[in-house]
Amino acid sequence: MKVNQYIYGLLFAVASIYAYAHDGHRPRIGAPNQQTPTGAPETWGTYCVTELAPLFREALTVYKQDNQLIDKPYGGQFPNIAKFQKGGDKDGPIFRANVLPKIPYSPIPAAGNVDGKITVFTAKKIVTMDPGWPTATAVAVRDGRILSVGTLDDLKPWLDNHPYEINNSFANKVIYPGFIEAHGHPVMGGVAISLPPLTYYSLRNPYGPDFPGVKNPEEMIAKLKEYVAAAKSPDQTILTWGYDSVAMGKKKPTNVDLDKISPTNPLILWDASEHFIFANTAAIKKYGVTNEQLAKTVGAGRNPDGSSNGQFLGAEAAKLIMLKPLSEILNPTQGLYSLRYISALMQQAGITTTGDQFYGGVNLALEDALVKQVFGQPDSKARIVHVADGITFMGLYGNKAIDQAVALRQSGNDQIIFNGVKFFADDAFTSLGMQLEWPGYINPDLYKGLFMFNNKQDFLKAMRPWWNTGFQIHVHSNGSGGNQVTLDALEILQAEHPRFDHRFTLEHFGISSTAQGRQVKALGALVSTNPYFVSDRADINANQIGTDRASLAARMASLIDQDVVVALHSDTPVGVPSPLLEVWIAVNRVGNLSGKVHAPYERVRDVNKAMKMVTIDAAYALGLNDRLGSIETGKLADFVVLEEDPQDVRPMKIKDIGVVATILGGRPTLTSETRTPDWK
């Protein structure tokens, strides 16, 4: 695929405008005992896309300005909420509608796929996720949509009257509806996970063997030495992703430690927290970090002589060392490579639709151009659902933000879909920045948790016009404190302006109580949760929040038992999109380090229910179950082909089931076809 270079020239020309629109600090809610410890950076303890986005935005500006650092600091993107609420300003009134316009059905034609001819796919078993017609052995597709499903005999009324062909390529396989990634970040996540990895846990690689993970400093050093040995020159920058300082222990690497690995190659370790950076002396020198900058930047580690110790902790400190190297990879070629990288990962995992739960958070023009190249073509491998970042849209468009979102909703097609808006309550789960209710954290001097708004009224005011207009609202909410603030806000919104089928979704719902689960049900809300909170973090988090709360992270069974719709997601780059692995976690809840079953009564023992969480219920959480998530007449012909049925194997084997192919709009792609970077 070729990128239109003229378009990209315009993109980078306007990058500084977007940085300006996002200028300002992202404030926090909370009493004094909920705030960052004295002397720590404002963004201390976070692991959240809201903290990653500023690096991307400023790096784009740096790229346009020939890598000259800009002076204007950036710590967030919140506009003046009170001003936004006032009607009659120069931007005009906020759009209002009783019912939002329907999301259009306008598929992009694929070659050979709109000729009216019927293609019948046969399989050993087809699991439809339609409870009234649960299994089949043949499905007929025409013009990218499902015509009929059942046995070949069931299809005869169609086949006797129209031309058709039989595709028996998967006759011995199992077909499910295409998997749906309900919550991802394809642009930012793709950039991060396509870098040389230093992750604690294993990391999938679409183009080669999985990265096994580094479990101690010795393994980390050995892997860095491999990257240095493979460098093209002795001064080539080596920018890595995913070093997990929480999992690796209290001692953080310094420039002295990293200088022993290479005194000449600039080494930069981009921590899994997304804004902790560790660098060697060569990197500090190459990217022009001065003692004067260090002295006035909170979170920048210094030696007694005032020089850098190689530790840049927090978003403001990270910008001292990261803007230039990040700008070097935020170019059209690398951006396209990264998005294709994560697209290949998703295809090989059986994903045919991904949510983008931070649309606009980096740069709308850049995101649109990249997404069009990867998701908007007739031969694309998946669909994408953009969920607008509400605060970004308010900052860019003022009182016309909702009008813009409505226009986008109507401008989409079946490949690139616009639906919903997202806000943030508390901070991140992985680095323990989430807000917990009493008794909080075991070590309150180390972790406290943060909210993302100045106060609860601002949180409510930000969501109110979108709610009143009829938008589906998603809220990033991790800790029990964040969940309670979110649920209380929803209760007020419902009392002020009652809505049916609003599908207000709590994204992540990391640490919760049974009372909050019942409140979710009573208010008609949904939950989209991250199962990696169980498998990857429960063993690690027990020492910080207690065994019970750590084990009960990402509740599932107790919610499903109340008929709450629950979807699963990876939240890339928090996790890598792998629906069968996510289902495996939901069914087994096994900790990766201990092998312990965490909160066994929260296991989803009915595998059919677990599979719904990555198919029809994920589609429901994205507001698209009318066209995705099950194999029914009229829906888009999106399928995943598996070697075995997850419902027929031992629960511990689910994650090992092979994904053979995906079928998007009736067009098959074998997973073997996306194993190299030049896939078509």
Side-chain angles (χ1 to χ4, degrees):
M1 284 183 240
K2 279 193 171 182
V3 181
N4 187 313
Q5 295 299 320
Y6 174 73
I7 291 177
Y8 275 101
L10 292 177
L11 294 179
F12 289 104
V14 302
S16 60
I17 296 174
Y18 281 92
Y20 176 79
H22 292 292
D23 187 35
H25 287 274
R26 186 180 282 271
R28 315 291 187 183
I29 293 176
N33 67 346
Q34 298 170 332
Q35 297 303 299
T36 301
T38 302
E42 180 192 10
T43 53
W44 168 87
T46 59
Y47 184 8
C48 174
V49 295
T50 59
E51 310 300 349
L52 181 60
L55 290 175
F56 278 69
R57 292 196 194 103
E58 287 199 16
L60 285 169
T61 307
V62 168
Y63 181 90
K64 180 58 184 174
Q65 297 177 349
D66 298 321
N67 283 350
Q68 296 300 306
L69 283 171
I70 57 178
D71 294 327
K72 182 173 59 180
Y74 179 85
Q77 66 212 51
F78 279 72
N80 187 319
I81 301 294
K83 179 181 177 182
F84 179 76
Q85 292 298 313
K86 294 178 181 178
D89 69 10
K90 63 180 181 180
D91 291 326
I94 299 172
F95 176 87
R96 288 288 184 271
N98 291 326
V99 179
L100 280 177
K102 292 289 186 182
I103 300 172
Y105 247 132
S106 52
I108 294 177
N113 204 37
V114 290
D115 57 4
K117 188 174 182 179
I118 298 170
T119 299
V120 177
F121 294 96
T122 63
K124 176 174 62 177
K125 182 180 183 182
I126 298 174
V127 182
T128 68
M129 289 298 160
D130 177 351
W133 198 257
T135 60
T137 54
V139 56
V141 175
R142 187 171 70 185
D143 297 339
R145 296 171 71 173
I146 298 166
L147 186 66
S148 187
V149 61
T151 65
L152 283 173
D153 282 344
D154 293 330
L155 304 186
K156 282 180 67 63
W158 286 102
L159 304 185
D160 287 345
N161 290 279
H162 299 277
Y164 68 92
E165 63 181 10
I166 303 287
N167 187 326
N168 289 319
S169 301
F170 311 119
N172 295 318
K173 309 301 180 183
V174 176
I175 291 178
Y176 268 79
F179 293 148
I180 296 171
E181 165 69 299
H183 183 132
H185 304 287
V187 175
M188 288 190 293
V191 168
I193 65 174
S194 61
L195 293 171
L198 284 178
T199 54
Y200 187 76
Y201 293 109
S202 62
L203 185 67
R204 286 177 47 227
N205 176 1
Y207 306 140
D210 291 352
F211 178 70
V214 294
K215 292 294 191 291
N216 53 59
E218 292 74 26
E219 291 183 9
M220 179 267 288
I221 291 170
K223 181 53 65 175
L224 280 174
K225 287 181 176 179
E226 288 182 24
Y227 295 148
V228 170
K232 296 178 181 178
S233 67
D235 60 353
Q236 177 187 336
T237 297
I238 298 170
L239 173 59
T240 66
W241 158 256
Y243 179 79
D244 194 331
S245 57
V246 173
M248 293 286 277
K250 294 182 179 179
K251 187 179 185 303
K252 295 178 173 62
T254 66
N255 63 324
V256 174
D257 299 322
L258 298 177
D259 287 347
K260 295 175 183 177
I261 300 170
S262 176
T264 60
N265 288 97
L267 298 181
I268 299 176
L269 279 59
W270 193 2
D271 188 85
S273 68
E274 299 174 358
H275 64 271
F276 281 15
I277 310 295
F278 308 100
N280 69 350
T281 302
I284 295 166
K285 290 181 178 179
K286 178 175 180 177
Y287 295 111
V289 179
T290 67
N291 290 3
E292 291 75 18
Q293 289 174 322
L294 294 167
K296 63 183 181 182
T297 304
V298 176
R302 292 185 291 164
N303 294 312
D305 65 356
S307 64
S308 174
N309 69 358
Q311 296 180 351
F312 301 84
L313 309 181
E316 293 303 318
K319 284 187 290 185
L320 293 180
I321 190 72
M322 270 295 283
L323 289 182
K324 287 184 179 181
L326 190 57
S327 74
E328 293 168 0
I329 64 173
L330 285 176
N331 59 70
T333 301
Q334 186 63 33
L336 186 59
Y337 173 86
S338 299
L339 197 55
R340 283 172 56 82
Y341 186 97
I342 195 169
S343 180
L345 271 177
M346 291 190 295
Q347 192 277 331
Q348 293 165 25
I351 294 169
T352 55
T353 298
T354 181
D356 171 21
Q357 291 267 356
F358 197 52
Y359 175 61
V362 176
N363 179 295
L364 279 170
L366 175 62
E367 294 171 50
D368 286 342
L370 290 175
V371 164
K372 184 177 181 180
Q373 289 293 319
V374 177
F375 293 96
Q377 304 302 314
D379 59 351
S380 293
K381 307 306 179 189
R383 311 178 195 279
I384 190 168
V385 184
H386 289 308
V387 177
D389 179 56
I391 297 302
T392 293
F393 268 60
M394 290 155 65
L396 289 173
Y397 301 111
N399 278 357
K400 295 182 180 179
I402 294 178
D403 297 271
Q404 180 68 17
V406 171
L408 284 170
R409 177 184 172 94
Q410 295 176 282
S411 72
N413 53 58
D414 284 336
Q415 295 289 134
I416 301 174
I417 302 166
F418 300 89
N419 189 40
V421 62
K422 184 184 176 188
F423 295 92
F424 291 76
D426 62 341
D427 220 307
F429 186 98
T430 304
S431 62
L432 302 178
M434 60 185 165
Q435 180 63 52
L436 296 177
E437 293 191 307
W438 190 90
Y441 290 93
I442 292 173
N443 298 304
D445 291 334
L446 187 60
Y447 300 107
K448 294 186 182 296
L450 300 165
F451 284 106
M452 303 299 285
F453 278 80
N454 275 330
N455 54 64
K456 298 175 184 179
Q457 285 303 310
D458 276 357
F459 179 47
L460 186 64
K461 287 178 181 178
M463 291 189 290
R464 183 178 283 120
W466 300 85
W467 171 270
N468 291 346
T469 303
F471 271 82
Q472 181 182 353
I473 294 176
H474 303 256
V475 176
H476 163 111
S477 180
N478 273 309
S480 52
N483 290 330
Q484 196 57 58
V485 168
T486 302
L487 289 167
D488 290 346
L490 174 57
E491 186 173 22
I492 293 171
L493 292 172
Q494 277 282 45
E496 292 177 346
H497 185 84
R499 285 176 53 187
F500 296 99
D501 194 24
H502 52 77
R503 304 195 196 186
F504 186 108
T505 305
L506 286 87
E507 300 289 340
H508 311 318
F509 204 61
I511 304 298
S512 64
S513 67
T514 56
Q516 289 172 344
R518 286 179 177 256
Q519 194 174 6
V520 169
K521 169 64 176 177
L523 293 171
L526 318 180
V527 168
S528 182
T529 194
N530 190 330
Y532 295 109
F533 292 170
V534 181
S535 61
D536 289 4
R537 311 313 294 192
D539 293 327
I540 295 170
N541 288 350
N543 289 334
Q544 303 301 334
I545 64 175
T547 301
D548 50 351
R549 286 188 295 175
S551 296
L552 284 164
R555 290 179 184 266
M556 298 175 200
S558 60
L559 294 171
I560 293 172
D561 287 347
Q562 299 178 69
D563 292 327
V564 172
V565 174
V566 180
L568 299 177
H569 64 249
S570 70
D571 192 22
T572 305
V574 175
V576 174
S578 304
L580 286 176
L581 175 58
E582 295 161 20
V583 167
W584 177 85
I585 298 168
V587 172
N588 297 289
R589 294 185 68 92
V590 173
N592 281 334
L593 297 181
S594 66
K596 172 184 176 182
V597 176
H598 290 288
Y601 292 101
E602 285 291 349
R603 290 178 293 181
V604 183
R605 303 303 285 166
D606 183 340
V607 178
N608 181 265
K609 291 182 178 179
M611 294 299 292
K612 287 176 64 178
M613 298 162 80
V614 296
T615 54
I616 188 63
D617 287 349
Y620 189 85
L622 287 173
L624 295 169
N625 59 301
D626 63 332
R627 65 196 68 189
L628 298 171
S630 61
I631 301 176
E632 298 181 58
T633 297
K635 288 194 173 185
L636 296 170
D638 294 357
F639 316 130
V640 58
V641 183
L642 306 176
E643 290 284 3
E644 300 177 90
D645 185 353
Q647 300 183 60
D648 293 339
V649 303
R650 291 181 295 105
M652 289 297 289
K653 191 182 175 184
I654 292 172
K655 64 181 176 63
D656 301 318
I657 294 173
V659 178
V660 178
T662 55
I663 300 174
L664 189 77
R667 179 171 40 83
T669 300
L670 299 176
T671 54
S672 59
E673 296 177 39
T674 58
R675 295 288 182 185
T676 58
D678 61 350
W679 56 267
K680 304 298 183 183

